[in-house]
């Protein structure tokens, strides 16, 4: 027995030893900065100068007087919900197409995934050219079909839909996860629906969707969290304009922290965003009991 306990202690020691870099990384680069930002959110920290404890003044200022906070919340919610819904739908459609047994399947899968590996800044600059109202490709296509041209990201009414279109373009990563789920759909169930006289819609509605519901759940959570943290589009393409119509929440945090050096205020904004994302995530987890189905039961 002593030999067994000694062996187990040795295994535990080496287990912790090899996971130590990951544990230290989590503590130093994630939990540590989070705790520091929580403390700074109750101070007037401005990088230069002394730090003074001011309690909840930053939070009171945010909710009571900051009009940009309210505007950024609306803009971020609008983009996050629209981007998540349309990207999930587009990714599922792309995954279904990639799952078809056609000639050149590998080529098409590669082409669909290519936008994912393009650096975010490079893709944003590319779409700046596409969205150009004077010589952009999108307006050239509209003109070719005798349709009225749009201002795209240069107009308040069309800027968020334009950025949602951009997010759909890079749905290849989500589509790849959907593809893995589609390939795991039980073929015998699809055949059973066919034998009973069902069509493609019955197979999709009653077999495919329930079978990939855990994948939908995962993509929904990750997509929503990512959309709430949208930043690059506003930073590279619009600078929060026109008229703050793309003042995404993370861009507001960036502006307060690195343009105004108001780190304490930015930390308070960050924790509000953390709580908002947490609430949405918990709601999705709570609701998943009624629509996510696992093959092995509970």
């Amino acid at each position: 027995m002593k030999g067994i306990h000694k062996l187990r202690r040795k295994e535990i020691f080496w287990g912790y030893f090899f996971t130590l870099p990951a544990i230290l990384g989590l503590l130093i680069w994630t939990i540590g900065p989070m705790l520091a930002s929580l403390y700074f959110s109750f101070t007037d920290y401005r990088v230069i100068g002394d730090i003074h404890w001011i309690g909840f003044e930053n939070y009171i200022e945010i909710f009571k007087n900051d009009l940009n906070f309210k505007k950024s919340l609306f803009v971020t919610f609008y983009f996050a919900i629209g981007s998540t819904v349309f990207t999930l739908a587009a990714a599922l459609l792309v995954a279904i197409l990639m799952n078809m047994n056609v000639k050149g399947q590998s080529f098409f899968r590669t082409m669909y995934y290519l936008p994912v590996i393009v650096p975010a800044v490079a893709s944003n600059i590319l779409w700046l050219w596409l969205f150009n109202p004077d010589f952009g490709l999108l307006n050239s296509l509209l003109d070719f079909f005798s349709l009225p041209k749009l201002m795209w990201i240069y107009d308040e009414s069309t800027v968020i839909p334009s950025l949602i279109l951009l997010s759909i373009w890079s749905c290849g990563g989500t589509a790849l996860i959907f593809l893995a789920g589609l390939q795991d759909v039980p073929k015998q169930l699809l055949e059973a629906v066919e034998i009973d006289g069902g069509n493609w819609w019955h197979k999709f509605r009653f077999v495919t969707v329930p079978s990939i519901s855990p994948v939908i759940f995962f993509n929904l959570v990750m997509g929503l969290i990512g959309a709430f943290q949208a930043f690059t589009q506003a930073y590279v393409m619009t600078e929060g304009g026109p008229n703050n119509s793309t003042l995404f929440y993370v861009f507001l945090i960036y502006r307060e922290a690195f343009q105004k050096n108001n780190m304490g205020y930015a930390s308070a904004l960050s924790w509000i965003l953390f709580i908002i994302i947490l609430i949405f995530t918990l709601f999705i987890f709570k609701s998943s009991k009624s629509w996510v189905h696992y093959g092995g039961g509970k």
Side-chain angles (χ1 to χ4, degrees), residues 23 41 46 49 84 106 184 188 234 238 266:
I23 295 171
S41 71
R46 288 183 175 273
T84 303
S106 301
D184 202 37
Q188 62 270 25
T238 64

Side-chain angles (χ1 to χ4, degrees), residues 12-70:
I12 291 170
F13 168 78
W14 284 110
Y16 279 118
F17 178 80
F18 284 113
T19 56
L20 190 61
I23 295 171
L24 288 175
L26 178 66
L27 291 172
I28 296 172
W29 303 115
T30 302
I31 296 177
M34 284 181 67
L35 294 176
S37 72
L38 180 61
Y39 168 73
F40 290 141
S41 71
F42 296 103
T43 70
D44 61 354
Y45 178 47
R46 288 183 175 273
V47 183
I48 299 172
D50 297 330
I51 301 174
H52 302 102
W53 181 269
I54 59 173
F56 287 94
E57 285 186 24
N58 283 329
Y59 293 95
I60 293 170
E61 177 67 20
I62 290 169
F63 286 104
K64 199 172 181 180
N65 301 318
D66 194 344
L67 296 178
N68 285 334
F69 167 72
K70 298 178 179 65

Side-chain angles (χ1 to χ4, degrees), residues 73-275:
L73 269 185
F74 171 76
V75 168
T76 305
F77 272 81
Y78 179 16
F79 174 78
I81 293 172
S83 171
T84 303
V85 170
F86 285 103
T87 300
L88 283 179
L92 181 56
L93 177 62
V94 169
I96 291 171
L97 293 174
M98 289 195 296
N99 197 40
M100 292 180 176
N101 189 17
V102 295
K103 190 175 180 181
Q105 186 184 68
S106 301
F107 170 77
F108 289 116
R109 289 180 179 179
T110 303
M111 294 303 294
Y112 281 126
Y113 190 74
L114 270 179
V116 180
I117 62 176
V118 176
V121 174
S123 66
N124 284 187
I125 292 173
L126 170 66
W127 278 83
L128 268 175
W129 295 336
L130 295 177
F131 284 137
N132 189 285
D134 297 321
F135 56 80
L137 177 63
L138 295 178
N139 269 353
S140 297
L141 288 173
L142 292 177
D143 186 53
F144 177 79
F145 290 105
S146 301
L147 295 171
K149 293 183 178 181
L150 299 174
M151 291 299 293
W152 301 104
I153 61 172
Y154 302 95
D155 185 82
E156 288 184 53
S157 61
T158 57
V159 61
I160 295 295
S162 299
L163 295 182
I164 290 173
L165 178 63
L166 168 58
S167 67
I168 293 172
W169 177 71
S170 57
C171 72
T174 306
L176 200 64
I177 299 172
F178 271 130
L179 178 61
L182 288 172
Q183 292 182 339
D184 202 37
V185 175
K187 288 183 172 54
Q188 62 270 25
L189 295 181
L190 295 172
E191 292 170 357
V193 173
E194 223 173 283
I195 291 170
D196 289 340
N199 55 26
W200 68 269
W201 169 249
H202 296 114
K203 287 190 282 186
F204 177 76
R205 170 67 181 84
F206 297 106
V207 177
T208 303
V209 171
S211 297
I212 65 170
S213 57
V215 181
I216 297 174
F217 169 68
F218 174 80
N219 282 333
L220 175 61
V221 172
M222 299 305 294
L224 198 61
I225 292 173
F228 269 117
Q229 298 178 78
F231 169 76
T232 311
Q233 302 94 318
Y235 181 73
V236 176
M237 302 178 74
T238 64
E239 296 183 354
N243 194 25
N244 285 339
S245 55
T246 57
L247 185 62
F248 293 139
Y249 198 97
V250 174
F251 186 72
L252 176 64
I253 294 172
Y254 163 81
R255 202 160 69 176
E256 289 291 337
F258 299 105
Q259 292 183 354
K260 299 181 181 180
N261 286 332
N262 199 352
M263 288 290 183
Y265 195 81
S267 297
L269 286 169
S270 300
W271 274 93
I272 293 170
L273 178 62
F274 172 77
I275 292 169

